Amino acid sequence: MTEPGTICWKPPADARERSRVGHYLAWLERERGLAFDDYHALWRWSVDDLPGFWGSIWDYFGVSSDSRVTSVLASDAMPGAEWFPGVGLNYAERMLADLQETGPVVVARSQTRKPVELTAAELRAAVAMARAGLQRLGVGRGDRVAAYLPNIPEALVLLLATASLGAVFSSCAPEFGTRSVVDRWSQIEPTVLVAVDGYVYGPKEIDRTAEVAAIRAALPGLRHVVVVPYLSAERAAAIPDVLAWDDLLGGGSGGVAAGETPELTFERVPFDHPLYVLYSSGTTGLPKPIVHGHGGILLEHLKTLALHFDLGPGDRFFWFSTTGWMMWNALVSGLLVGATVVLVDGNPAHPDLGYLWRLADECGVTFFGTSAPFLMSCRKAGLRPADIADLSRIRGLGSTGAPLPADGFTYVYENVNPDLLLQSFSGGTDLCTGFIGGSPLLPVYAGELACPCLGAAVAAYDPAGHRVVGQLGELVIERPMPSMPVGFWGDTDGSRYRAAYFADFPGVWRHGDWIEITERGTCVITGRSDATLNRGGVRMGTAEFYSAVEALPEIVDSLVIHLDDPAAGTEELLLFVVLPEGVQLDDALRAKLATELRRNLSPRHVPDQIVRVAAVPRTLSGKKLEVPVKRILEGRPPEEAASAGALADPTALRAYEEFAHTRRDH
């Protein structure tokens, strides 16, 4: 196993000259008279002088607005920060402003249809036609447009057309079932729904016409439904009383004349005007409808994609995501910095785990974004991506969705490309970004995130609200960021928003993760703070536990639950494991697990009981459901512990319910 903290990569000597953050540093010195010796000095200024930093981002990237900026931060209260008052801007306008004019700006690959590529001119024309089509359907400023679409160009076109009007976009991936979709969209009451008839996932055809009909029936405010014939033109045509996507763009009777492209204009809106609504996982109730604004997303994504990911013109940016995860929103924002975005729809492991690596080669990807579980699955399978594809063009690799163990870092450098910059990235839907990641100016240490991101005042707090270094603490953000939510949709008095993030440390954002900030400024995320293992007084995040357990070839997946009853003075550590076919959970495997955990963690973290299960329950975005399972084991009914619509496989909870019944019966 790789020792955490091992150096995997160092910046080249000319990193400042070659990187976009280096160019930004030179600009700061030239234009602002500000000189910083290293990344950490730059970060400290970026969180100490918020108006200076975010004002410089506005100017450095040349953000255009309908009036001159007179104030960057009128109020720094949290919640309630007021950014760039009085300016009017539009996210879609900037998205389409700085595209490369030769070659494709959108490259799309799918298991459902043939490849699609769009040039800048073709993308702008499609957005203009979709915008005109939405206007004909009565969509205007503030109206909600819902997308039941995969990660395909039509979803991007719809987002930009909606945003150009000042309307509000919201997407759900078509693998979401009816209940999951209705739980989300019933809160925002869309007037237009754009959906696919179905899709192909690996070898399987998935028909979604019944779901489209059920969603339509459950949303009485819908005035129009538009269908993209993605799986089959015949199936799409059979859906009654809908408008075809081509007719939306072409106008049909009374619409745009053949061969004519309408003028593309943009509604300038206030900085915090709603751009789109994203949703929390909704595992224990209705998903929170998180509203993000035009200006906050624009500035945050410019900063992250250029200054952290080092993306710009000539790059091809890929991150495997569905439209139900905030990484899709971050991916398509690659257009902001002039990169070409690579959209992929389908099963990432079909026909095998080499699929995405081969696509990266085929599409000329320079930044490859994925999840920690995908990388660890490739490692466990013994896959060496560099042997099956030319990955020499990949300069950056992003990993998110879960903490990447130290072994995952060395796997990437030994099997993908030894020269790339690996960025383990942590953030969330709540801010639609990562606030801890990496930098072209910093080394990469195995198992660690290199730094807090610029403008993100990240700290670790003890229970009393004091900063701690070198020990686990609550991950907090002490000062506002522009991409913090405008609010929750329908939360008129802001009470739900305050309760979600500001109840524990008033005026400070509590994110809900455990973090350790090291003496050298790197960060280690160890799991959700509400799922911490506090075993015999030794507090540990679940990520460390999974890293040790899932390193064994016999373990496919795992879930650890710590049950304690302070009143009775009892505690119990339960480990649930998924094993490959043909492998038995016998005494030898139990002993092997105990030995690994004793050696890598501590004797206190040897489970009291190890149980084989068929699956680990996960959210639709792939996160393990530790807290809902804990509630079930504590006696809560499954329907109260977790919302079935938020689960990738609702049947996965049955084994835990049965286990809880068996425990109570004994």
Side-chain angles (χ1 to χ4, degrees), residues 63-289:
V63 176
S64 60
S65 63
D66 61 2
S67 59
R68 188 173 64 86
V69 174
T70 57
S71 173
V72 171
L73 185 58
S75 168
D76 65 355
M78 278 203 301
E82 186 180 359
W83 295 95
F84 294 90
V87 304
L89 76 173
N90 191 286
Y91 167 84
E93 182 176 11
R94 177 55 189 248
M95 283 276 279
L96 296 170
D98 292 335
L99 305 178
Q100 57 185 31
E101 299 300 333
T102 58
V105 298
V106 177
V107 172
R109 297 293 184 266
S110 165
Q111 293 169 353
T112 305
R113 68 182 178 195
K114 294 179 180 179
V116 175
E117 297 188 355
L118 298 176
T119 64
E122 289 168 338
L123 178 60
R124 292 188 184 107
V127 172
M129 290 187 287
R131 182 184 197 276
L134 291 175
Q135 283 184 306
R136 289 193 301 275
L137 299 184
V139 174
R141 185 165 170 159
D143 290 329
R144 277 77 66 205
V145 175
Y148 193 53
L149 298 173
N151 183 11
I152 56 178
E154 289 88 340
L156 171 56
V157 168
L158 185 66
L159 164 61
L160 295 175
T162 301
S164 74
L165 292 165
V168 185
F169 179 85
S170 185
S171 60
C172 286
E175 62 263 29
F176 283 29
T178 303
R179 173 67 182 275
S180 298
V181 175
V182 173
D183 280 352
R184 287 159 172 76
W185 287 344
S186 61
Q187 299 182 74
I188 66 168
E189 300 177 304
T191 59
V192 173
L193 166 64
V194 181
V196 288
D197 57 314
Y199 57 95
V200 174
Y201 191 77
K204 299 179 181 178
E205 286 194 356
I206 312 294
D207 187 322
R208 277 334 218 186
T209 55
E211 283 74 14
V212 172
I215 293 166
R216 180 186 209 170
L219 298 174
L222 280 177
R223 298 198 299 264
H224 303 280
V225 176
V226 179
V227 173
V228 176
Y230 188 52
L231 183 58
S232 126
E234 293 75 21
R235 183 180 279 105
I239 304 175
D241 302 321
V242 299
L243 183 68
W245 174 258
D246 284 348
D247 288 337
L248 177 75
L249 267 61
S253 176
V256 179
E260 179 184 333
T261 300
E263 181 184 2
L264 179 55
T265 58
F266 302 91
E267 178 84 5
R268 294 279 178 91
V269 295
F271 189 88
D272 61 354
H273 183 80
L275 169 62
Y276 41 61
V277 180
L278 305 183
Y279 302 89
S280 64
S281 58
T283 53
T284 56
L286 282 179
K288 297 189 290 288

Side-chain angles (χ1 to χ4, degrees), residues 409-449:
F409 282 71
T410 52
Y411 170 76
V412 168
Y413 280 102
E414 292 173 359
N415 297 280
V416 179
N417 180 342
D419 299 320
L420 60 75
L421 170 57
L422 169 58
Q423 297 200 38
S424 185
F425 197 55
S426 182
T429 300
D430 322 74
L431 288 90
C432 197
T433 190
F435 35 78
I436 309 169
S439 169
L441 304 179
L442 292 174
V444 174
Y445 296 90
E448 299 179 4
L449 292 80

Side-chain angles (χ1 to χ4, degrees), residues 18-24 57 60-61 94 299-313 315 317 333-334 336-338 395 423 438-440 454:
R18 293 171 52 185
S19 65
R20 294 202 72 178
V21 67
H23 297 162
Y24 169 67
I57 295 297
Y60 176 72
F61 288 103
R94 177 55 189 248
L299 290 189
E300 175 59 38
H301 288 180
L302 279 170
K303 177 212 73 178
T304 297
L305 298 177
L307 304 187
H308 288 278
F309 290 176
D310 201 32
L311 290 168
D315 279 307
F317 179 37
S333 279
L336 289 172
V337 294
R395 297 186 300 108
Q423 297 200 38
S439 169
L454 297 173

